Amino acid sequence: MALDICHTVLLHFVHILLWTRLYLWTLVLRFISKPFGLCIGERRKLSAERCRIDSKNLPKLPLHIGLQIVENRISDGDVANLLVWCIAMGFSYISLFDNEGYFKNNPSRLRSVLQKKMADVSESDHLVFQIEVPVRNGGKCYEVISKDTSQATKRTRIAIMSCEDGRGDILDSARHLCQDVADKRYRASEIDIPHLDQVMNTLLDYPDPELIIQFGRVNSLLGYSPWKIRVTEILSVPTHHSINYQSFVNVLQSYSKTQQRFGK
Amino acid sequence: MDPDLSKSNEHWIEASAATSEWFPEKQYQAQKTWLQSFCLRVLKCGPVPQHVAFIMDGNRRFAKKKSVQTLEGHSLGFEKLAETLQWCLDLGITEVTVYAFSIENFKRSRQEVDGLMELARKKFLRLLEEKDQIMKHGVCVQVIGDLNLLPRDVQEVVAEAMFISRNNTRATLNVCLAYTSRQEMANAVKEVALGVEEGILEPSDVSEELLEECLYTHRCKDPELLVRTSGEVRLSDFLLWQSGYSVLSFVEVLWPEFSIWHLFAAVLHYQTKYNAVQRAKEAMLDNRRRAVLESDHRCVLAQSNTSKETTLSDRKETSLSDHIAMPSNDDAFHKRLSKYRNDRESRIAKFLGALNKRREDFLMSLLPERTLCQIVA
């Protein structure tokens, strides 16, 4: 009995130790690396051109990047910064995921913060983004576009997702297919992976993300769309609070070093 | 029973346990150090995952590193698996799922695929020989994947292992062979659609729970911890649906180098994330229950609307949100709702009964002739 208590106390001690280590590391990232980053050249205003050049220097870049925020407190400004860097680097698709639906409940707030942060970056006039919110149960996709552009410029598409868009997407597709089967438009035996993939794409026609960056200390996908993450690289960063441009580029660098064999 | 005979029988079991390939318990107990036992006891004071999934990656790289044949690397990987199962049993992890062979792996060279299939056949044959060990540990062996893709001789041994252990409940070993998660999910959707086609199910009966019942892993709990070795940080089409709320642990070492300390570290990692993940999981289960309730409401309303032939679509909208927001006092509506729920549940029960029957028949069809004869006898 006494031995059991000793063991439990010891285990709690180890947990606290691990937690403290991670917490201190987060603090280091937040308060020390930022001024340090300023010393080594972040003092100058970040320009969209620099983002573009940095992205060109990376050997491999994702077409679709997923940003998963799993922290209790979410900082709009820091998330907007991350999005601006992604847009300036020229990624075509971004998924912004938080499991409780913080961004999903108010996409226009995200847009206004994003536009403000965008203005802080020089040479960013040509950047166009489009925020999309997939809606469940066959509803229409909600969209906001940063500015009215009639000419065909390249725009970055941002999807805001929460945990209900993970397994929920598959459920919706399954119901859709079952309805088609009930209406005798399909035979059930025809259903296979490409078929289901096609139906999933009608909900949100983004390619599968090549990279997900998890912000937060919980190493779990927490309902991130299971269909899409087949070969997605999952990298983890302890916090998104006060993240600076250089650490973001470092994450992309470690992504570009990964190799895939696709089963071979 | 003749005491001498039972004694010699026991002795035989002891002897086979000493050389057991699948359950190297003796070896493990002999090698176990004082420090390991101590850490084990400490770790067991916290939450221990019931179900751990492993992606055993890095066998080929290990073989290359040690300059041995690729297949030798895979054999070493198997030995490591047997060892790991002992560690898990000792820790109190009752269910283990391993990714042994992906459908994508069929793309590898003919020689390697044949070698791997031969290895699987041999190891499962060996498992059948060690039947008394399976029964002693009470392990239920399940092979998960599209078994149709396997060669006939592998199908036979695999089916037999599943058949003889099917009633064991103390521990579960799931081996994913010819498996990819997308294939599994597409197959689940297909099963549900077949139910709709046969007129057993309505499209609105489809729910996350129902889809889960149609996955190959319908008998398993979701894994709470997923370990991938060799430093890769992706899931490679493994348990994508089921690992939605698992703690992910990416370990740097190659699979044959995986040690009990890596497992301890992974469990410790799981413990520090336990509360946060548990909260998210409970929220998900709540949402899921609510979604089913809402779907029932919608269906009953749709039914009554069609029967009354009300054309006021805006009225339907408001009444729907009202009913969901607060429980209606309307008795008749409640009666219809509970009737609908009962009907739905009986439709689903009927569908699942048929599905399980089909699964059993499929398993029986894979069994070799000799076993079938024994069962009939």
Side-chain angles (χ1 to χ4, degrees):
Chain A
M1 188 63 194
L3 205 63
D4 271 357
I5 294 169
C6 284
H7 287 152
T8 315
V9 169
L10 187 63
L11 186 67
H12 278 283
F13 178 70
V14 174
H15 284 176
I16 291 166
L17 217 65
L18 284 175
W19 185 85
T20 320
R21 194 186 71 166
L22 200 57
Y23 186 72
L24 286 177
W25 179 233
T26 320
L27 283 187
V28 167
L29 286 180
R30 272 184 80 165
F31 297 112
I32 302 179
S33 70
K34 194 163 192 184
F36 184 70
L38 288 177
C39 296
I40 56 168
E42 290 228 334
R43 208 188 306 262
R44 279 175 293 128
K45 201 173 165 190
L46 188 69
S47 73
E49 187 57 21
R50 181 174 158 203
C51 293
R52 206 183 59 79
I53 292 168
D54 281 342
S55 74
K56 284 274 177 303
N57 286 338
L58 290 166
K60 189 167 81 168
L61 271 184
L63 184 65
H64 177 183
I65 183 170
L67 305 175
Q68 186 193 11
I69 319 282
V70 272
E71 280 174 273
N72 290 334
R73 274 188 322 111
I74 293 179
S75 143
D76 286 337
D78 287 313
V79 172
N81 270 336
L82 283 166
L83 289 173
V84 170
W85 300 331
C86 288
I87 296 166
M89 283 186 155
F91 298 154
S92 310
Y93 304 91
I94 305 169
S95 296
L96 179 63
F97 176 98
D98 73 286
N99 65 318
E100 281 164 7
Y102 172 82
F103 296 110
K104 220 176 155 173
N105 294 335
N106 200 348
S108 38
R109 179 187 56 206
L110 180 70
R111 184 184 66 159
S112 58
V113 182
L114 194 49
Q115 276 172 336
K116 217 162 77 203
K117 289 286 177 188
M118 192 90 104
D120 289 347
V121 175
S122 58
E123 301 163 50
S124 64
D125 307 331
H126 64 286
L127 300 175
V128 185
F129 65 85
Q130 172 179 356
I131 297 178
E132 292 166 279
V133 185
V135 183
R136 303 256 62 79
N137 297 321
K140 273 196 89 178
C141 211
Y142 173 88
E143 288 180 18
V144 279
I145 298 173
S146 61
K147 56 186 115 168
D148 193 28
T149 45
S150 41
Q151 74 265 43
T153 42
K154 187 175 174 271
R155 67 170 68 143
T156 302
R157 296 174 62 185
I158 305 171
I160 309 187
M161 300 196 290
S162 73
C163 64
E164 57 178 17
D165 300 308
R167 294 175 179 179
D169 268 353
I170 300 176
L171 177 62
D172 279 5
S173 311
R175 281 191 166 186
H176 182 91
L177 280 169
C178 284
Q179 193 59 57
D180 280 353
V181 167
D183 299 344
K184 306 260 184 284
R185 275 194 292 262
Y186 281 127
R187 281 210 307 271
S189 51
E190 286 170 14
I191 295 172
D192 55 4
I193 298 175
H195 204 127
L196 188 54
D197 199 37
Q198 204 186 328
V199 180
M200 296 282 290
N201 276 334
T202 59
L203 297 175
L204 187 69
D205 58 340
Y206 285 23
D208 296 345
E210 290 94 339
L211 168 67
I212 291 176
I213 308 180
Q214 290 184 328
F215 295 92
R217 287 182 238 130
V218 187
N219 295 104
S220 176
L221 289 161
L222 299 185
Y224 201 102
S225 181
W227 184 262
K228 306 258 178 185
I229 50 166
R230 196 169 64 96
V231 288
T232 305
E233 305 283 344
I234 303 161
L235 296 174
S236 182
V237 177
T239 181
H240 73 288
H241 287 281
S242 310
I243 185 163
N244 61 19
Y245 175 71
Q246 195 51 47
S247 10
F248 178 68
V249 173
N250 290 345
V251 178
L252 290 178
Q253 257 159 3
S254 53
Y255 161 74
S256 63
K257 283 187 203 124
T258 56
Q259 280 185 358
Q260 298 221 341
R261 299 175 302 275
F262 301 103
K264 285 190 187 161
Chain B
M1 201 175 175
D2 181 7
D4 267 2
L5 189 73
S6 82
K7 207 170 186 183
S8 73
N9 205 5
E10 244 170 48
H11 179 73
W12 184 77
I13 289 175
E14 298 270 297
S16 82
T19 53
S20 173
E21 276 185 29
W22 278 82
F23 302 96
E25 196 185 357
K26 281 273 157 59
Q27 220 176 320
Y28 165 61
Q29 292 298 346
Q31 284 173 357
K32 194 167 154 187
T33 63
W34 175 84
L35 190 61
Q36 282 176 12
S37 318
F38 173 72
C39 291
L40 199 94
R41 275 204 298 276
V42 171
L43 269 183
K44 271 178 149 179
C45 293
V48 172
Q50 303 240 291
H51 181 182
V52 181
F54 290 97
I55 303 181
M56 311 181 289
D57 195 14
N59 290 336
R60 288 188 297 176
R61 270 166 281 171
F62 183 76
K64 209 168 169 188
K65 198 164 129 187
K66 297 278 170 208
S67 346
V68 291
Q69 290 270 313
T70 313
L71 277 174
E72 176 66 21
H74 289 302
S75 297
L76 290 169
F78 169 78
E79 280 168 30
K80 184 53 72 181
L81 166 64
E83 229 179 310
T84 308
L85 293 181
Q86 287 302 321
W87 303 336
C88 288
L89 278 175
D90 212 6
L91 257 173
I93 298 166
T94 48
E95 187 163 1
V96 171
T97 304
V98 293
Y99 202 7
F101 194 84
S102 149
I103 295 176
E104 303 286 315
N105 292 151
F106 281 114
K107 288 189 215 152
R108 291 181 181 176
S109 73
R110 177 78 193 273
Q111 193 192 359
E112 195 185 341
V113 171
D114 288 350
L116 277 166
M117 285 297 143
E118 183 57 22
L119 184 70
R121 197 180 68 83
K122 262 198 218 149
K123 293 302 174 191
F124 272 97
L125 260 182
R126 177 77 200 196
L127 184 67
L128 293 175
E129 285 165 21
E130 296 178 5
K131 188 180 168 184
D132 45 283
Q133 286 286 316
I134 304 180
M135 295 309 174
K136 184 185 144 205
H137 288 93
V139 179
C140 172
V141 179
Q142 296 188 78
V143 178
I144 286 168
D146 188 359
L147 301 186
N148 291 312
L149 298 174
L150 297 171
R152 177 69 204 172
D153 51 350
V154 179
Q155 281 176 345
E156 282 184 1
V157 281
V158 155
E160 203 170 351
M162 280 161 73
F163 184 76
I164 60 167
S165 69
R166 70 192 184 289
N167 293 324
N168 289 343
T169 51
R170 218 177 316 152
T172 310
L173 171 63
N174 306 307
V175 182
C176 295
L177 264 184
Y179 172 88
T180 61
S181 197
R182 271 199 180 183
Q183 194 273 334
E184 181 188 31
M185 291 189 272
N187 188 58
V189 173
K190 188 162 136 188
E191 296 283 6
V192 174
L194 281 170
V196 172
E197 199 168 54
E198 286 165 17
I200 310 176
L201 288 176
E202 296 290 326
S204 58
D205 295 342
V206 184
S207 64
E208 287 185 23
E209 286 100 325
L210 186 64
L211 284 176
E212 274 179 5
E213 287 292 332
C214 297
L215 295 174
Y216 296 132
T217 54
H218 59 107
R219 287 178 67 185
C220 318
K221 293 185 283 291
D222 284 351
E224 286 139 306
L225 172 64
L226 190 143
V227 178
R228 177 166 193 160
T229 55
S230 89
E232 305 291 356
V233 287
R234 54 181 177 271
L235 298 179
S236 301
D237 224 336
F238 177 60
L239 299 183
L240 300 178
W241 175 291
Q242 297 88 336
S243 66
Y245 292 84
S246 311
V247 175
L248 306 177
S249 174
F250 297 114
V251 184
E252 281 295 327
V253 292
L254 303 174
W255 175 249
E257 296 165 335
F258 189 73
S259 76
I260 196 165
W261 299 108
H262 295 113
L263 182 66
F264 285 171
V267 171
L268 196 61
H269 175 75
Y270 164 78
Q271 289 179 341
T272 54
K273 322 283 172 195
Y274 177 77
N275 287 329
V277 174
Q278 214 59 20
R279 263 200 303 280
K281 211 178 196 170
E282 270 154 29
M284 178 270 289
L285 290 173
D286 274 351
N287 282 338
R288 192 187 252 199
R289 274 190 290 273
R290 211 177 46 236
V292 172
L293 284 182
E294 281 176 18
S295 156
D296 281 359
H297 267 272
R298 218 176 291 127
C299 290
V300 173
L301 281 174
Q303 267 178 5
S304 57
N305 277 355
T306 45
S307 63
K308 285 180 200 159
E309 288 183 339
T310 35
T311 41
L312 293 165
S313 61
D314 54 347
R315 220 196 99 198
K316 181 184 151 196
E317 283 300 312
T318 51
S319 62
L320 171 68
S321 52
D322 280 354
H323 279 306
I324 291 167
M326 51 186 150
S328 156
N329 292 323
D330 187 2
D331 262 0
F333 180 80
H334 263 268
K335 237 175 237 166
R336 274 212 307 279
L337 189 66
S338 71
K339 181 174 180 308
Y340 181 84
R341 190 183 306 132
N342 287 337
D343 287 351
R344 173 175 58 78
E345 277 165 5
S346 65
R347 279 197 299 270
I348 288 176
K350 190 177 165 204
F351 166 74
L352 289 178
L355 178 63
N356 280 330
K357 176 81 179 50
R358 205 159 59 231
R359 279 173 177 150
E360 263 170 44
D361 290 347
F362 176 64
L363 183 63
M364 295 301 261
S365 76
L366 296 182
L367 285 174
E369 294 277 330
R370 54 192 154 77
T371 327
L372 279 176
C373 293
Q374 277 170 19
I375 298 165
V376 174

